[in-house]
């Protein structure tokens, strides 16, 4: 038996699927009765399964590329540190406007991975260049990066925000369906832009200190254990010669007896 349904205006497919699943649970359908979606609803369910893997895979690829670019395992984490604030901003905006995490909204969150990390790249790239080429301290390098790169970061973020604003408003034909994409991007950009200039320098300094501490431990020379022979090589040689002389005298006394 096939049961078909249409969506009223303003209702997302994800809401309809969730409501049908809720009604099916409430009816206590026997285990012998098998139900499944067809058409757009089935395609929507299948697309939802790989969303998390797609997002995690994208972040992992970005981390590997940044690690190769900067020859570091620490500083790519600094660049990606703005993603949690962008995700919170996107989800909070969707919640305020009463939208669920649809496929369009998820595409917007994937776009945020590239839009938000460019702020960190601008700052970290400038700071690392000053450290490696000019010998600046991490504090001075990240401070100058935050001051000098402020205008480019603001310009690129405003360009991306104004570019997605018509989508967030729902302008054009079928604009209502694409509205979650624009809302997710605009909300994520606003929150991440407000926090990046404060969070990134702090995380940069802490992770830089962590990286230096780990590097010191890795290259720290092994210390000889304290014992009878001591730390001084001359003293060690003297003690060893005395021990060998004592051993030879004991053997000579035993043979004479």
């Amino acid at each position: 038996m096939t049961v078909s349904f249409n969506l009223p205006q303003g209702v997302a497919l994800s809401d309809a699927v969730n409501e049908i699943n809720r009604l099916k649970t409430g009816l206590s359908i026997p285990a012998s009765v098998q139900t499944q979606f067809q058409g757009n609803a089935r395609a929507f369910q299948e697309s939802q399964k790989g969303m998390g893997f797609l997002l995690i895979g994208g972040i992992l690829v970005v981390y590997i590329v940044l690690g190769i670019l900067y020859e570091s395992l620490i500083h790519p984490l600094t660049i990606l540190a703005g993603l949690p604030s962008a995700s919170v901003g996107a989800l909070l905006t969707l919640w305020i406007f009463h939208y669920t995490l649809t496929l369009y909204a998820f595409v917007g969150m994937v776009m945020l991975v590239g839009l938000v990390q460019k702020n960190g790249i601008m700052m970290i790239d400038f700071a690392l260049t000053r450290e490696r080429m000019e010998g600046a301290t991490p504090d001075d390098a990240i401070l100058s990066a935050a001051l000098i790169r402020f205008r480019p970061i603001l310009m690129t973020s405003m360009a991306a925000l104004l570019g997605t604003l018509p989508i967030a408003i729902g302008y054009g034909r079928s604009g209502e369906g694409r509205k979650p994409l624009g809302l997710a991007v605009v909300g994520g950009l606003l929150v991440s832009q407000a926090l990046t200039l404060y969070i990134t320098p702090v995380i940069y300094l802490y992770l830089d200190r962590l990286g230096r501490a780990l590097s010191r431990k890795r290259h720290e020379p092994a210390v000889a254990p304290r014992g009878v022979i001591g730390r001084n090589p001359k003293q060690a040689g003297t003690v060893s010669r005395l021990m060998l002389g004592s051993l030879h005298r004991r053997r000579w006394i035993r043979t004479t007896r």
Side-chain angles (χ1 to χ4, degrees):
M1 183 178 66
T2 302
V3 178
S4 303
F5 65 91
N6 294 320
L7 296 176
Q9 187 176 2
V11 177
L13 180 60
S14 59
D15 295 335
V17 171
N18 293 333
E19 184 65 20
I20 291 173
N21 288 328
R22 187 184 66 81
L23 292 174
K24 185 178 69 173
T25 305
L27 291 175
S28 300
I29 299 177
S32 59
V33 179
Q34 301 293 327
T35 61
Q36 62 180 359
F37 287 99
Q38 295 292 337
N40 293 334
R42 184 173 183 177
F44 171 77
Q45 282 190 326
E46 291 178 352
S47 65
Q48 290 274 39
K49 294 179 181 178
M51 281 186 175
F53 177 77
L54 178 63
L55 185 61
I56 295 173
I59 295 174
L60 183 62
V61 170
V62 170
Y63 174 80
I64 294 173
V65 172
L66 292 175
I68 296 172
L69 179 63
Y70 295 112
E71 299 178 354
S72 172
L73 297 176
I74 296 294
H75 292 301
L77 297 176
T78 310
I79 296 173
L80 296 174
L83 293 180
S85 61
S87 301
V88 170
L91 295 175
L92 187 62
T93 305
L94 291 173
W95 178 74
I96 290 174
F97 288 93
H98 306 287
Y99 282 95
T100 58
L101 188 61
T102 60
L103 183 60
Y104 279 111
F106 186 81
V107 171
M109 295 189 69
V110 173
M111 290 174 59
L112 283 175
V113 175
L115 292 174
V116 172
Q117 71 173 352
K118 55 89 182 169
N119 297 339
I121 290 176
M122 287 184 180
M123 295 177 63
I124 303 305
D125 184 75
F126 188 88
L128 288 177
T129 302
R130 283 212 60 195
E131 277 193 55
R132 296 172 180 177
M133 300 298 179
E134 303 177 14
T137 62
D139 300 69
D140 295 337
I142 195 63
L143 178 61
S144 60
L147 293 174
I148 295 174
R149 294 298 190 183
F150 174 73
R151 186 169 63 177
I153 289 174
L154 189 61
M155 290 171 61
T156 53
S157 297
M158 289 301 296
L161 192 148
L162 293 176
T164 53
L165 195 59
I167 304 176
I169 297 173
Y171 181 77
R173 294 186 60 182
S174 303
E176 189 67 26
R178 298 189 301 270
K179 199 171 180 180
L181 186 152
L183 290 174
V185 173
V186 170
L189 283 176
L190 286 175
V191 176
S192 64
Q193 181 66 36
L195 296 178
T196 295
L197 294 175
Y198 298 98
I199 293 177
T200 304
V202 176
I203 296 177
Y204 176 83
L205 292 176
Y206 276 111
L207 290 181
D208 185 78
R209 292 170 187 170
L210 177 63
R212 291 175 186 273
L214 294 176
S215 179
R216 268 197 306 271
K217 289 183 179 180
R218 195 182 306 117
H219 296 93
E220 194 174 54
V223 180
R226 295 183 180 181
V228 180
I229 57 177
R231 289 186 176 180
N232 193 344
K234 294 182 179 179
Q235 182 183 358
T238 304
V239 173
S240 61
R241 284 195 296 271
L242 290 175
M243 292 176 64
L244 287 173
S246 176
L247 182 62
H248 285 306
R249 282 196 298 271
R250 289 180 183 178
R251 289 181 178 176
W252 182 78
I253 291 171
R254 288 178 182 175
T255 54
T256 53
R257 288 180 181 177

